[in-house]
Every structure is written in C-alpha cells, then in structure tokens.
Amino acid sequence: MKVLEFENVSKRFCNQQGILQVLDHVSFSVQEGEIVAIVGPSGAGKSTILNLISKLITPSEGKVIVNGNIGYMFQRDCLFEWKNIYQNVLLGLEIQKNKTQENKSRVERMLKEYGLWEFKDAYPNQLSGGMRQRVALIRTLAVHPDILLLDEPFAALDYQTKLKVSEDIYKIIQKENKTTIIVTHDVSEAISLADKIIILSSRPAQVKGIFPIVIDAPTPLKKRQHQEFQRYFESIWEVIQNE
Ligand SMILES: Nc1ncnc2c1ncn2[C@@H]1O[C@H](COP(=O)(O)OP(=O)(O)OP(=O)(O)O)[C@@H](O)[C@H]1O
Ligand SMILES: [Mg+2]
C-alpha cells in the first residue's frame, strides 16, 4: 500500500534576495514498510521535503499525499538539557496529552530494550552522541507514528559510532516495523540502510534517479561487506557525477 506520494512538487521560498526555488517538480512514492533514503548535496532541499511531508510547510505547486501519522526526528537531536532522559522520551506524549499507562509502558520497554533504562534519570549532557540519538529516536517512536522521518540522524557522530548507531537504529526500525524516510548525503550509508534510494540534484532539487536496493544481508554492516554493495555504489555514483 502506498503511504506517501509527491506529485510534481515544487517549492519556492521568498527571502530578502527575492525568490529561492528549492524543489523543482519532485515526484516519488513510498510503500508501507519501506525504508527510503533521500540523498543529495547540502542545501539541495532534503529537509524541505521532510518539512512538506510533516505539513510544517505547504508546496508552491503539486501535491503531497500522506496516509498516516508522522514522527519527525529533526536534523539536531533537540533533547531538552534540563529534562532527564525519561522526561525527554515522554515529551511527545505529554504534548499530545496522551500519557496513558499503555503508552508509558511501551516507552519503558523501548528504553530497556535499547540499553537506556539505567540512564533514565540522567540528563542529556551525561550521554554519548550515539545514546542521545537513540533517546531522540525513542521519543519519536513514543507517539506511535506510521511514518518515521529521520533527518541526517548520524551526521554528528564519528565514523565508528555512526556505523554502530546505524546498526542499532536499523534494528529498532525493523523491530517496530515502520515506514521510514531517512535523509543523508552519504551514499554508502543510504545503500546500507534503504530499500530504495532517491537521488536529488543540487538546488533547485530534481529527482536524478530512484534506485531499488536489494542486498541479501541482515544488517547495515553486513550489507556493506556484501559484493552487491560496490555495484550499487558505482551505479549511483555515476548518476551523482553526471550532474
Ligand atoms: N523556511 C524557509 N524560508 C526560507 N528559506 C528556506 C526555508 N527553509 C529552507 N530554506 C532554504 O532552502 C534551501 C534548502 O534547504 P534545506 O534545509 O531543505 O536543505 P538540505 O538539503 O536539507 O541541506 P543540508 O544538507 O545542509 O541539511 C536552503 O537554501 C535554505 O536556506
Ligand atoms: Mg537538511
């Protein structure tokens, strides 16, 4: 089932310099349960696409069709430093006035399962970058979204931590069985995580190519080691270079 569709979406912003065209007739769709990576250079319009999906902004032209609730993990983890981990992960539910026992139990289960339970009374500045990312993800999942939007979730991490946290986050997404749209400018990361990759040009972003990825391996690290990985990398790199 299709849960998301962009039909010829264009977006322009007005700023002091005049009109800035950010998206130029962007079309793609996402099926239920799919992990889709959006790859493009800095400033192309990737976060703008997520902002359109979450209805924070509206398109200038074209149509954005969304079936389901959205959970949005922003480009920065946006944890509140003056709240402890437990209060941080419950924040979304609090805003929705939906802190039922059932929802609280689900959040507690995720904290335990993802190695954060002993830190529930700690404050964000006492956690490593990777742990903060997991807290932000659990907070996003707490509100039971149908579609998960992750904006460069690993960008602030060093290389080793990034590989480790992407293993963790992939496991969590699989286990919670969420349709996921993940923004990155790292092609390898996209191939290791996604079922489908959408390549954007530089601004104004157009869709340069859409690649289904099928690598028969259970985790992002194992996919990186698979022989198919290099083949995907080469064909995607060719599209990126031919800008
Ligand atoms: N609300 C807004 N008003 C005006 N301009 C905006 C707005 N949001 C984004 N822009 C501009 O649109 C362009 C694309 O921004 P966007 O954040 O979508 O890029 P991005 O691909 O996510 O970049 P990055 O990889 O650096 O995060 C940028 O030039 C940005 O300054
Ligand atoms: Mg961005």
Side-chain angles (χ1 to χ4, degrees):
M1 197 183 79
K2 215 183 274 176
V3 290
L4 168 66
E5 181 147 37
F6 267 52
E7 272 178 25
N8 279 312
V9 173
S10 297
K11 181 66 187 174
R12 291 177 286 274
F13 290 113
C14 294
N15 58 20
Q16 281 111 334
Q17 284 82 45
I19 291 171
L20 181 73
Q21 171 121 23
V22 177
L23 301 180
D24 183 10
H25 295 89
V26 169
S27 298
F28 64 89
S29 64
V30 177
Q31 301 289 321
E32 190 176 359
E34 227 177 0
I35 302 177
V36 174
I38 298 178
V39 176
S42 189
K46 302 181 297 298
S47 298
T48 300
I49 290 179
L50 298 192
N51 293 340
L52 284 162
I53 296 170
S54 61
K55 306 217 152 74
L56 290 173
I57 55 176
T58 54
S60 310
E61 253 177 80
K63 243 190 186 160
V64 177
I65 303 162
V66 181
N67 286 317
N69 306 322
I70 300 292
Y72 192 172
M73 188 168 134
F74 293 101
Q75 201 156 356
R76 292 177 305 122
D77 68 29
C78 296
L79 298 181
F80 288 132
E81 300 295 340
W82 63 91
K83 287 183 182 277
N84 69 26
I85 298 313
Y86 191 65
Q87 293 163 335
N88 261 291
V89 291
L90 286 178
L91 205 70
L93 290 170
E94 203 169 301
I95 292 167
Q96 289 187 348
K97 301 215 182 328
N98 205 3
K99 236 164 58 177
T100 60
Q101 196 49 49
E102 191 193 339
N103 282 331
K104 270 161 62 180
S105 308
R106 209 182 53 254
V107 168
E108 289 171 12
R109 169 183 64 76
M110 287 195 280
L111 283 173
K112 285 175 190 157
E113 246 172 55
Y114 306 129
L116 289 161
W117 184 245
E118 358 165 3
F119 295 92
K120 68 180 189 336
D121 300 318
Y123 287 83
N125 67 11
Q126 299 172 281
L127 267 53
S128 70
M131 290 164 88
R132 291 178 66 114
Q133 290 304 94
R134 271 180 284 153
V135 172
L137 182 63
I138 292 172
R139 182 172 69 186
T140 312
L141 288 168
V143 298
H144 236 340
D146 305 304
I147 304 172
L148 199 55
L149 308 179
L150 306 179
D151 197 348
E152 305 209 29
F154 316 118
L157 307 175
D158 66 70
Y159 186 70
Q160 275 179 25
T161 311
K162 177 160 126 164
L163 291 189
K164 164 118 192 18
V165 176
S166 55
E167 292 284 292
D168 289 346
I169 288 195
Y170 184 79
K171 232 184 278 167
I172 298 173
I173 296 169
Q174 292 284 8
K175 176 128 201 302
E176 309 294 328
N177 195 20
K178 296 290 177 199
T179 306
T180 302
I181 299 166
I182 180 166
V183 160
T184 174
H185 41 235
D186 181 334
V187 176
S188 299
E189 187 174 291
I191 301 170
S192 74
L193 288 165
D195 301 312
K196 184 161 91 187
I197 299 182
I198 299 167
I199 304 289
L200 299 178
S201 68
S202 51
R203 193 178 62 236
Q206 292 177 326
V207 175
K208 300 287 290 182
I210 298 184
F211 292 81
I213 307 288
V214 185
I215 300 178
D216 189 17
T219 69
L221 258 180
K222 291 263 174 353
K223 289 189 196 186
R224 283 175 189 263
Q225 291 152 7
H226 200 283
Q227 59 189 28
E228 287 289 288
F229 188 88
Q230 199 55 34
R231 194 177 63 77
Y232 281 117
F233 190 93
E234 278 158 22
S235 43
I236 291 171
W237 191 244
E238 201 169 295
V239 171
I240 290 174
Q241 276 195 317
N242 286 341
E243 259 235 51

